[in-house]
Amino acid sequence: MRFPARWLNRKRTLYPLLAGGAGLLLFLLLDGLFPLRANVPYSQLLYARDGSVLHGFLSRDDKWRMKTELEEIIPELRQAIVHKEDKYFYWHPGINPVAIARAAFNNTTTGRKTSGASTITMQVARLLEPKKRTYAHKLTEVFRALQLEWHFSKDEILQLYLNLVPYGGNVEGVKSASLLYFGRLPDGLSLAQIVTLAIVPNRPTSLYLGRNNHLVRQERDKWLRRFGAESVFPQKDIADALAEPLEARRTEVPRLAPHFAWRLKRENPDAVNLTTTLRKPVQDKVQQLAYNYHKRLERYNIHNLAVLVVNNRTSEVEAYLGSPDFGNVDHAGQVDGVRAVRSPGSTLKPLVYALGIDAGKITPKTVLADVPGNFSGYAPENFDRQFNGPVTVEKALVYSLNIPAVKVLHDIGLPVLLEKLKKAGFDQIARDEGKLGLSVTLGGCGVRLEELAGLYASFANGGKFAPLRYVLPHQKEATDSVRPVPVVSETAAFMVSSILSQAIRPDLPNNYQSSYHVPPVAWKTGTSYGRRDAWSIGYNRQYTIAVWVGNADGTGVRELTGADIATPLLFHLFNSIHYNGQGSRLPAPPGLQFRMVCNQSGLPPGPQCTHQVADTYIPLVSPVQTCGHLKEVAVSVDEKMSYCKSCQPASGVNQKWYPDLAPELVAFNQSHGIAYAGVPPHNPACTRIFDDESLWIVSPSDGREYIIMDEDDAPELLLSCQTCNGVQRVYWYVNDKLYRTAGAAEKVFFRPSPGTVKISCSDDKGRNTDVRIVVRKG
């Protein structure tokens, strides 16, 4: 039986389709059973902002195998590789049947291998799974090539080839060879260098770069002439390439900013190419200045320092120095000083005063008492163990006085400060929150240099904190920037910055007084207890630079202070990176206003305020009560007795103005022999009892517990109080029994017995206050 012709034609069409479909199904089945593994372990490279390489790390298998990104494959590189290795790369499906047939014929007729048929795709398959060259393995290679073509684009296959080709030793890939032998990335190669890198992978042993450069050049020039004859590149470019000498030698991968690099490697273990925010010229300057300065400090037994440079407008870190000598094993050079937790000294005081301004407690001219005080058992002292009496907030901050800062923090509340610090990214403080007290403002906590840099950068940015950035975001993430968090108001930040910008101040380094080398910046120093840490952090509109100097092991040094050791380096850095700071003055915010205040209190002047000064303030926030630094007192004609309204006689009385001093200032003046206009003793015949809170016991603190080892030889405890102007005598009681009558500022001592002890104090105006302590026998 004969079938119609059209049926035969349909069969001829159908059979190939069925065969092709079956072959495709078989391929997909094998593809599922034997999946292609193309997870190549690459070396990690870190780049500066300008694209130059900062630091490199070996791959997991200890190879220099750097990933060439698609945009780095320049047209000349693509042309040279494809024309030399596989002219029909963009046309075949992974294998070239014509090349296979030609190679089989030539190898059969000659009895030896004279030509190959491997395409670029097949070479990639062999590089991914290296095996001994046999016909069976060749079939596996063909299958893997088909898989590559199925799963990857042609450009991605070419990229794999460029990343895997060998160059001898542990160097693989065009990018690795380009950087290690020519000191540049692939997109910066000349035509001669491109052709050199194209020919070496076929003979990586005999054409070993840096050893057999004469043989490499001969082979390079041969291929250049061949490319010229086949019009692959313009003749002029070929001529220039032939004239170019071959200067290839093995160099080391850049190892800049090692602490920064290792940090990013830990934080981004799977990243291959990371573009960082570091600016190489700034990083180089910081490294050079810091290293030279560190060498000069060694004679003082100071061996470590750290520097961070932040661009205030972008929050990008432009320079990062964990220590000046990473390789110094004797002095912990590998410890990252930027990340190390250290005591901040006085560097948190600007935030305390800014919060006090925002809380309406103070302005720059507010007068505070720098006198001995007791804050619930905490009795701070100044760095020089001296007291200055009445001082303005301005002076207290510039002179870094401790007692005024603690008083402001006590008034605004410790939780307010801690909450702001947590918002500004102070991780250690967040962890230790429950253990911290008022000493935080004097360095009684742990912070990192990068945290302080971020905090001070917020002062330059109108009081708004933004996390520091170390890596440039991807294009998709560029618009997803973190919204700044307000830490203090713009006006408070400006007030504090203005104070810290004063050039005449006690924390200028030696030899910097009256020097034009002081940069126009706001800065604050800090020195930790025991002189273990020296800090200096400065900022203008453009940059914040934070400097820490000390020893990584915590060894204190007598010469180690923020002013004399850390600040000179800060000034050198500013003068080098941003000389003169043109256009970097912080602009005054619109909410800033000026007013005249009394110089005795910093409050708006009253009728008796004859000396006034200009001050800045925040409307509806800053204190508005009128100054009352003087009070009118009724005194006898001879001014030896004062009267209140209850006991004032009808005649023989004069009205006189006296300083209305706070009790702590009265005690300070009396104990230091400072003359002041004291109110005469009150009328002893007066029966009125004063019930205001102008008397309190400073020592001992209420609720304190004391342990004594021997009841007969127990140490004596100090009895001390503070009272207002006019009090002459006080009366001390122990367990409701009169212990001693003393002057208001007189220090009294007593030896306690075990148990609960009630201590009372009364003054000559009838006021009374009590505290209770517990004494235990150890």
Side-chain angles (χ1 to χ4, degrees):
M1 180 179 178
R2 297 185 62 185
F3 293 96
R6 65 177 182 274
W7 288 9
L8 293 175
N9 290 336
R10 286 177 182 174
K11 287 183 178 181
R12 293 191 189 101
T13 304
L14 185 59
Y15 288 158
L17 289 176
L18 290 174
L24 178 60
L25 288 174
L26 178 61
F27 171 76
L28 293 176
L29 177 63
L30 292 175
D31 183 55
L33 292 173
F34 305 100
L36 177 69
R37 291 179 175 84
N39 297 323
V40 180
Y42 290 108
S43 303
Q44 187 180 69
L45 284 185
L46 273 65
Y47 300 87
R49 211 181 197 286
D50 61 3
S52 59
V53 177
L54 280 175
H55 205 102
F57 295 95
L58 287 166
S59 64
R60 291 194 303 272
D61 53 352
D62 293 331
K63 302 277 190 182
W64 284 118
R65 188 187 297 113
M66 304 172 191
K67 185 178 182 181
T68 304
E69 301 292 354
L70 289 172
E71 59 269 18
E72 293 180 293
I73 305 175
I74 57 177
E76 294 82 0
L77 178 60
R78 186 191 307 271
Q79 286 175 270
I81 294 294
V82 171
H83 192 83
K84 177 182 179 298
E85 295 294 331
D86 188 357
K87 294 180 183 179
Y88 302 102
F89 172 67
Y90 286 100
W91 302 97
H92 60 64
I95 57 174
N96 188 337
V98 176
I100 291 174
R102 185 186 65 243
F105 176 78
N106 291 339
N107 294 344
T108 301
T109 56
T110 60
R112 58 189 179 88
K113 184 177 179 181
T114 59
S115 63
S118 293
T119 62
I120 287 178
T121 312
M122 293 172 68
Q123 292 184 61
V124 171
R126 184 166 62 249
L127 291 168
L128 286 172
E129 296 181 359
K131 290 183 174 67
K132 188 176 180 181
R133 296 195 178 188
T134 64
Y135 287 110
H137 289 159
K138 198 70 173 178
L139 290 174
T140 303
E141 190 178 301
V142 169
F143 172 68
R144 292 302 191 193
L146 294 174
Q147 283 183 298
L148 282 165
E149 295 283 345
W150 181 261
H151 291 284
F152 297 94
S153 68
K154 286 290 187 180
D155 284 345
E156 289 172 333
I157 293 171
L158 179 62
Q159 181 188 20
L160 279 170
Y161 174 81
L162 293 175
N163 289 332
L164 294 172
V165 287
Y167 284 92
N170 68 337
V171 180
E172 292 184 5
V174 167
K175 190 172 190 174
S176 302
S178 174
L179 186 63
L180 290 168
Y181 290 107
F182 295 117
R184 60 186 67 185
L185 296 172
D187 54 5
L189 292 170
S190 67
L191 179 59
Q193 292 168 336
I194 287 172
V195 175
T196 300
L197 296 182
I199 64 172
V200 170
N202 297 122
R203 296 161 54 192
T205 303
S206 60
L207 298 179
Y208 200 108
L209 282 170
R211 295 181 185 173
N212 302 326
N213 282 358
H214 63 289
L215 294 177
V216 176
R217 178 163 185 176
Q218 290 176 11
E219 190 70 12
R220 180 201 75 177
D221 292 350
K222 182 182 81 172
W223 274 98
L224 280 170
R225 294 187 185 95
R226 184 170 174 178
F227 286 151
E230 297 176 4
S231 300
V232 178
F233 300 106
Q235 290 299 322
K236 184 179 182 307
D237 293 349
I238 294 293
D240 291 342
L242 287 168
E244 183 178 317
L246 178 60
E247 297 176 347
R249 62 184 182 84
R250 176 70 180 267
T251 58
E252 292 297 322
V253 174
R255 301 283 189 178
L256 300 176
H259 299 89
F260 179 71
W262 279 101
R263 171 184 180 157
L264 290 188
K265 181 175 176 61
R266 287 191 299 269
E267 294 176 355
N268 306 272
D270 299 324
V272 176
N273 293 320
L274 274 176
T275 301
T276 73
T277 59
L278 294 196
R279 289 181 58 212
K280 193 170 181 300
V282 178
Q283 179 70 27
D284 289 343
K285 287 179 181 177
V286 169
Q287 175 67 52
Q288 180 182 0
L289 286 171
Y291 183 80
N292 293 339
Y293 190 71
H294 142 264
K295 284 298 182 184
R296 296 201 297 272
L297 292 179
E298 286 185 336
R299 67 177 181 268
Y300 299 118
N301 198 32
I302 301 171
H303 301 286
N304 302 96
L305 62 85
V307 177
L308 204 67
V309 179
V310 179
N311 186 315
N312 293 330
R313 300 181 183 183
T314 62
S315 296
E316 294 177 358
V317 172
E318 295 194 356
Y320 186 116
L321 185 78
S323 77
D325 188 357
F326 185 79
N328 189 338
V329 179
D330 294 334
H331 299 291
Q334 294 185 3
V335 172
D336 186 354
V338 173
R339 295 277 296 161
V341 177
R342 315 287 300 197
S343 166
S346 299
T347 55
L348 296 179
K349 287 177 182 174
L351 178 59
V352 171
Y353 286 111
L355 293 175
I357 292 172
D358 278 338
K361 303 289 186 182
I362 56 173
T363 62
K365 295 298 184 183
T366 297
V367 175
L368 302 173
D370 180 32
V371 297
N374 190 300
F375 303 89
S376 301
Y378 177 51
E381 292 182 331
N382 286 322
F383 185 75
D384 59 2
R385 300 182 182 275
Q386 302 297 316
F387 301 95
N388 298 272
V391 294
T392 63
V393 165
E394 199 172 55
K395 180 176 179 179
L397 179 53
V398 167
Y399 279 67
S400 197
L401 301 178
N402 291 343
I403 289 89
V406 174
K407 177 173 174 36
V408 172
L409 179 56
H410 180 266
D411 290 345
I412 64 175
L414 177 64
V416 174
L417 174 65
L418 297 182
E419 189 61 31
K420 295 295 184 180
L421 289 172
K422 288 190 293 182
K423 283 186 177 180
F426 284 72
D427 293 336
Q428 191 64 40
I429 284 179
R431 284 192 285 269
D432 296 340
E433 182 178 7
K435 301 183 289 185
L436 300 177
L438 295 176
S439 62
V440 165
T441 191
L442 308 184
C445 58
V447 304
R448 295 181 172 90
L449 183 69
E450 61 183 345
E451 295 170 345
L452 289 174
L455 175 64
Y456 278 71
S458 70
F459 281 97
N461 288 320
K464 295 179 179 178
F465 167 78
L468 301 185
R469 293 170 54 192
Y470 299 98
V471 179
L472 289 181
H474 296 295
Q475 197 158 0
K476 292 180 181 178
E477 301 170 355
T479 57
D480 300 334
S481 56
V482 179
R483 182 169 295 180
V485 177
V487 176
V488 296
S489 71
E490 184 180 11
T491 310
F494 179 81
M495 289 180 180
V496 169
S497 299
S498 298
I499 296 172
L500 296 178
S501 298
Q502 296 181 13
I504 307 302
R505 48 198 280 186
D507 60 347
L508 271 175
N510 292 331
N511 303 322
Y512 267 88
Q513 286 81 357
S514 302
S515 172
Y516 65 91
H517 290 300
V518 177
V521 298
W523 86 94
K524 180 71 182 76
T525 62
T527 305
S528 68
Y529 179 77
R531 303 202 179 198
R532 295 179 175 90
D533 307 276
W535 306 84
S536 192
I537 305 142
Y539 60 94
N540 56 23
R541 197 172 182 180
Q542 180 68 31
Y543 285 108
T544 293
I545 301 179
V547 174
W548 169 82
V549 183
N551 288 308
D553 61 3
T555 301
V557 178
R558 182 170 56 89
E559 294 83 3
L560 190 62
T561 64
D564 293 329
I565 296 298
T567 302
L569 178 57
L570 177 75
F571 287 176
H572 289 325
L573 291 168
F574 262 113
N575 288 331
S576 176
I577 295 170
H578 201 225
Y579 184 68
N580 277 339
Q582 295 296 329
S584 289
R585 293 285 186 185
L586 298 175
L592 184 73
Q593 297 293 326
F594 292 85
R595 68 182 180 185
M596 300 302 292
V597 296
C598 176
N599 72 337
Q600 296 297 310
S601 65
L603 293 171
Q608 304 301 320
C609 299
T610 56
H611 296 88
Q612 300 175 20
V613 294
D615 190 17
T616 53
Y617 76 106
I618 306 176
L620 304 180
V621 174
S622 297
V624 294
Q625 65 267 34
T626 303
C627 173
H629 78 281
L630 295 177
K631 64 179 179 180
E632 192 175 22
V633 180
V635 298
S636 60
V637 176
D638 59 4
E639 299 182 6
K640 292 184 178 180
M641 185 182 300
S642 63
Y643 305 97
C644 64
K645 291 182 179 180
S646 300
C647 64
Q648 181 177 330
S651 60
V653 176
N654 292 334
Q655 299 294 327
K656 186 173 180 180
W657 292 91
Y658 287 89
D660 189 12
L661 300 178
E664 61 266 26
L665 276 175
V666 173
F668 175 76
N669 290 338
Q670 291 178 349
S671 63
H672 286 72
I674 299 174
Y676 69 100
V679 177
H682 192 65
N683 179 12
C686 181
T687 59
R688 176 186 172 188
I689 297 176
F690 293 82
D691 58 357
D692 57 39
E693 297 180 356
S694 296
L695 171 69
W696 65 85
I697 296 174
V698 176
S699 174
S701 300
D702 190 25
R704 256 308 180 57
E705 183 176 307
Y706 297 88
I707 297 177
I708 60 176
M709 303 305 295
D710 186 354
E711 185 175 349
D712 296 329
D713 194 28
E716 292 185 328
L717 293 182
L718 170 66
L719 300 179
S720 176
C721 69
Q722 289 182 353
T723 186
C724 63
N725 190 359
V727 173
Q728 305 295 319
R729 309 296 292 175
V730 294
Y731 308 91
W732 290 100
Y733 295 82
V734 177
N735 291 330
D736 296 325
K737 293 182 179 180
L738 179 64
Y739 178 72
R740 184 171 173 184
T741 301
E746 185 179 347
K747 295 179 179 179
V748 177
F749 294 89
F750 87 106
R751 182 172 283 109
S753 299
T756 300
V757 181
K758 177 184 176 184
I759 299 171
S760 307
C761 182
S762 300
D763 65 15
D764 54 18
K765 291 189 177 183
R767 288 172 292 220
N768 184 79
T769 185
D770 305 321
V771 297
R772 285 175 170 79
I773 63 173
V774 176
V775 180
R776 299 184 189 280
K777 193 171 182 181

